Amino acid sequence: MPYSKLTRLAFAIVLFIMASSCTELANESLRGTIAANGMVSTAHPEATKIGVAILKQGGNAYDAAIAVQFALAVAYPNAGNIGGGGFLVYRKSTGEIGSLDFREKAPLSAHKDMYLDQDGEVIENLSTRGHLAVGVPGSVDGMTKIHQELGSMPFSELVEPAIQLALNGVVLTDREATKFNGQRKNFIETNSHTPYLVSNTPWAKGDTIFHKDLAATLMRIRDHGRAGFYEGTTAQLIVDEMMRGGGIITKEDLDLYQSVWREPMTSSYKSYRIIGMPPPSSGGVAVMQLLKGIESYDIGTWGFNSTRTIHIMTELERRVYADRATYLGDPDHYQIPADKLISDIYLKQRFSDIDPLVKTFSQSIKTGSVNFIESIETTHFSIVDVNGNAAAITTTLNGSYGSKVMVKTGGFFLNNEMDDFSVKSGVPNMFGLVGDKANAIAPQKRMLSSMSPTIIDKNDSLFMVVGTPGGSTIITSVFQTILNVIEHGMTMQEAVNAKKLHHQWLPDHILYELNALDSITYSELEQMGHVLKQRDGIGRMNAILVLDDGLLEGAADYTRGDDIALGY
Ligand code: DON
């Protein structure tokens, strides 16, 4: 055989081997972390490691959740927090379910028009940046309530790992260094002191940040629990910070703050039970409306991100977000028809005008006009322990580093959650979401949220724990991730990695991630009347799936973030 022929044959064989191994890879499902005894999935490796260490010491899922919340406040300060708030949805191994609302509240002297000028126009940035944007924080009260009700280890032992992390320093990832550098100007402009996170030379991957002031605050929390934050030195530091920057949170506000146990929302999707967060989150209601709405369509057969699937999801989403804007807010201040909104009778009628072939114009559902500003950071973590207790927590400062206000010598950022209120009827917030009376500002009221910590069970057994950051895209990301597993047969990790889309009624366009659609689907959707816009990073899920053999699959979004799931 001539040499050239031999070479060509060898080349062909190599190609054949490569092609067959690629096919094999393509067919092989991508699993997340598999473990038998417990699983923790969070946005930061240090927080995940601390959560697993608590589980290994014999702590339950709620002990681990408390330790993770404090660890994220150190290692992931753009969203992890003690100066913000959040929601817990839990399901114990006994089947008992519950939820804790540790969402921030409007200060006592907040009022409906506090972000409007004399002409009634919204003053730019007032609800998003600086001291006036801050809601009364709920996270520390939340952690102490979770501990009292569900914890098993001493509280101090759950705060201690975060203190050690703060003292020993956190090594920056590339992403985090970029984030700090990107906010440098904002940190300086917003604060009357220079936060210790402002460095003269840009931060780089591998640099270590020591959080000395934050460690001291955490020690007060470790030693005095709730009082270590809402009373004494920390409370004084917060009030001093407010006075310096023109904020309105007082000692009385801090004194009055209480997180609230609420009955979780429950609904079904086929043979699965969905357990979600009730108002003041819109997450439970909206995810349940979407799942109920899609139940009667055969999307499993239509396929993942096919034209028909995307069209129906979009039509459901525009109606659900219109309901959100009109009906949802703080149930302690406004009558919220949450149960009616997820009832079969209501939803049948609500979705009855969906045309399977033609898009509905959002303006014909309800009027409004919005723009969409991206500046998003929240964080979700999912935990399951050896006994099958499950915790889903989504927690936030709202924007990245919240209001950008760092409490001087307290070492922690304060949220800008006030922007989640409807600061003026029909005027969009930073996620482009609009609202009305149900979500208007009032003293001591909680702002509406999209955070959707969700637990699913099947035949009375735990099936999935799931949630994500992403502002208004939280609801649709949770919706798609659940369907990816149940309808499209994906593993938990594949469902997390899968490219996502989003529609929120207004603005009337579908956001899609790069490679979410092929060109044929894209043009078919356009022919149906849809407007499509590309956006990066929809969803950054942290989820756990209980496999048929009882093992846990932990999935974390290592494609969109530095997230990691670990188990043992
Ligand atoms: O509660 C809410 O819906 C928002 N404050 C969440 C903000 C958020 O997810 C930002 N992150 N990615």
Side-chain angles (χ1 to χ4, degrees):
M1 202 186 280
Y3 178 73
S4 62
K5 270 198 177 167
L6 242 184
T7 317
R8 260 182 291 169
L9 181 66
F11 187 60
I13 292 170
V14 169
L15 272 184
F16 175 76
I17 293 169
M18 276 173 65
S20 34
S21 63
C22 282
T23 320
E24 215 175 280
L25 271 184
N27 291 336
E28 208 173 87
S29 53
L30 175 71
R31 282 276 176 210
T33 308
I34 305 291
N37 295 319
M39 184 66 68
V40 179
S41 176
T42 87
H44 199 284
E46 296 294 349
T48 297
K49 281 190 247 165
I50 284 174
V52 173
I54 295 290
L55 292 183
K56 283 185 176 171
Q57 283 169 46
N60 65 23
Y62 313 107
D63 294 319
I66 295 164
V68 165
Q69 172 83 29
F70 287 118
L72 285 169
V74 178
Y76 194 67
N78 52 315
N81 68 83
I82 53 174
F87 301 116
L88 159 79
V89 172
Y90 75 84
R91 181 189 187 281
K92 287 204 213 172
S93 55
T94 56
E96 179 193 317
I97 58 172
S99 73
L100 183 71
D101 166 4
F102 54 99
R103 181 75 162 163
E104 300 91 327
K105 294 180 88 165
L108 281 164
S109 58
H111 58 93
K112 191 170 129 310
D113 297 333
M114 64 186 277
Y115 299 113
L116 306 185
D117 65 16
Q118 284 163 345
D119 301 324
E121 300 302 329
V122 176
I123 303 169
E124 210 178 336
N125 291 338
L126 209 55
S127 66
T128 56
R129 176 106 65 87
H131 298 67
L132 216 51
V134 184
V136 183
S139 291
V140 176
D141 187 79
M143 292 310 111
T144 57
K145 285 238 175 52
I146 293 172
H147 181 253
Q148 280 157 17
E149 200 65 31
L150 302 165
S152 71
M153 286 173 62
F155 186 72
S156 58
E157 289 180 26
L158 305 176
V159 190
E160 191 60 34
I163 296 172
Q164 293 311 315
L165 189 61
L167 292 174
N168 295 331
V170 182
V171 180
L172 288 183
T173 65
D174 197 25
R175 254 196 197 89
E176 284 157 2
T178 309
K179 267 186 201 150
F180 277 133
N181 295 333
Q183 295 289 348
R184 188 175 189 280
K185 190 164 163 279
N186 286 335
F187 291 159
I188 293 170
E189 280 175 8
T190 314
N191 290 283
S192 56
H193 58 104
T194 307
Y196 68 95
L197 295 172
V198 172
S199 128
N200 288 333
T201 50
W203 292 107
K205 177 182 170 185
D207 286 350
T208 303
I209 298 197
F210 299 92
H211 302 266
K212 195 168 80 28
D213 289 343
L214 179 55
T217 299
L218 289 169
M219 285 177 200
R220 291 190 288 274
I221 295 169
R222 175 196 62 193
D223 297 340
H224 305 290
R226 184 192 188 282
F229 185 86
Y230 295 89
E231 296 171 33
T233 307
T234 315
Q236 191 59 52
L237 293 178
I238 295 173
V239 172
D240 290 348
E241 185 57 59
M242 286 289 124
M243 307 264 276
R244 250 194 316 276
I248 55 174
I249 294 177
T250 60
K251 279 230 172 106
E252 197 184 355
D253 282 310
L254 295 170
D255 245 13
L256 284 175
Y257 184 86
Q258 291 291 336
S259 47
V260 187
W261 292 104
R262 298 191 190 275
E263 197 181 323
M265 308 273 316
T266 54
S267 176
S268 64
Y269 176 73
K270 298 188 175 172
S271 56
Y272 300 87
R273 180 169 69 142
I274 316 295
I275 306 154
M277 193 64 212
S281 180
S282 60
V285 170
V287 169
M288 287 169 197
Q289 286 186 311
L290 290 170
L291 286 170
K292 270 264 165 264
I294 210 152
E295 202 173 30
S296 55
Y297 296 95
D298 193 10
I299 61 157
T301 308
W302 295 355
F304 167 71
N305 283 0
S306 67
T307 306
R308 287 210 281 181
T309 303
I310 293 171
H311 173 70
I312 291 301
M313 289 196 314
T314 302
E315 291 308 309
L316 294 167
E317 287 166 5
R318 79 171 83 247
R319 288 160 177 80
V320 164
Y321 277 82
D323 279 0
R324 180 194 190 280
T326 313
Y327 296 115
L328 297 181
D330 183 349
D332 297 339
H333 284 250
Y334 201 85
Q335 217 179 349
I336 308 291
D339 289 335
K340 170 148 196 243
L341 287 169
I342 59 165
S343 71
D344 289 340
I345 298 174
Y346 171 74
L347 290 174
K348 197 161 176 240
Q349 175 270 325
R350 181 66 173 126
F351 298 139
S352 62
D353 62 343
I354 291 179
D355 185 322
L357 296 176
V358 183
K359 111 169 203 168
T360 323
F361 282 90
S362 285
Q363 298 292 344
S364 73
I365 293 179
K366 199 184 164 187
T367 54
S369 71
V370 291
N371 58 9
F372 191 88
I373 302 167
E374 291 163 41
S375 163
I376 53 170
E377 289 296 341
T378 289
T379 192
H380 174 85
F381 50 97
S382 296
I383 302 179
V384 176
D385 68 22
V386 66
N387 293 316
N389 296 302
I393 288 190
T394 314
T395 180
T396 189
L397 291 166
N398 195 24
S400 197
Y401 308 97
S403 61
K404 328 283 187 228
V405 174
M406 173 174 275
V407 175
K408 190 177 174 187
T409 69
F412 59 95
F413 286 104
L414 292 168
N415 66 84
N416 60 343
E417 222 74 57
M418 291 296 282
D419 188 63
D420 272 347
F421 278 116
S422 170
V423 302
K424 183 179 174 181
S425 176
V427 173
N429 72 359
M430 67 187 231
F431 300 107
L433 294 166
V434 290
D436 202 353
K437 292 192 195 68
N439 191 30
I441 303 172
Q444 292 273 291
K445 188 175 173 182
R446 287 179 158 93
M447 51 300 277
L448 182 61
S449 173
S450 301
M451 293 190 286
S452 312
T454 304
I455 295 179
I456 302 177
D457 61 20
K458 191 183 175 188
N459 303 330
D460 292 332
S461 293
L462 181 66
F463 178 70
M464 189 190 289
V465 187
V466 62
T468 182
S472 55
T473 66
I474 291 174
I475 291 164
T476 50
S477 298
V478 169
F479 174 51
Q480 290 167 86
T481 305
I482 293 170
L483 293 178
N484 285 347
V485 172
I486 296 180
E487 294 298 339
H488 302 306
M490 293 187 198
T491 66
M492 195 72 255
Q493 189 63 55
E494 288 168 337
V496 167
N497 290 7
K499 300 295 176 192
K500 301 198 168 50
L501 301 104
H502 171 74
H503 193 290
Q504 59 179 50
W505 173 47
L506 296 171
D508 190 354
H509 56 225
I510 299 174
L511 295 174
Y512 68 95
E513 287 188 294
L514 185 66
N515 297 330
L517 308 166
D518 59 34
S519 56
I520 297 172
T521 309
Y522 189 100
S523 53
E524 283 174 353
L525 286 165
E526 277 195 324
Q527 277 160 30
M528 294 168 114
H530 294 290
V531 177
L532 292 118
K533 277 197 174 180
Q534 195 197 311
R535 200 196 99 172
D536 285 340
I538 302 180
R540 181 173 163 177
M541 324 290 304
N542 294 89
I544 299 172
L545 186 68
V546 182
L547 304 176
D548 288 344
D549 55 9
L551 289 175
L552 303 169
E553 182 192 355
D557 202 337
Y558 55 77
T559 61
R560 300 175 184 89
D562 300 321
D563 304 37
I564 182 164
L566 293 173
Y568 75 106

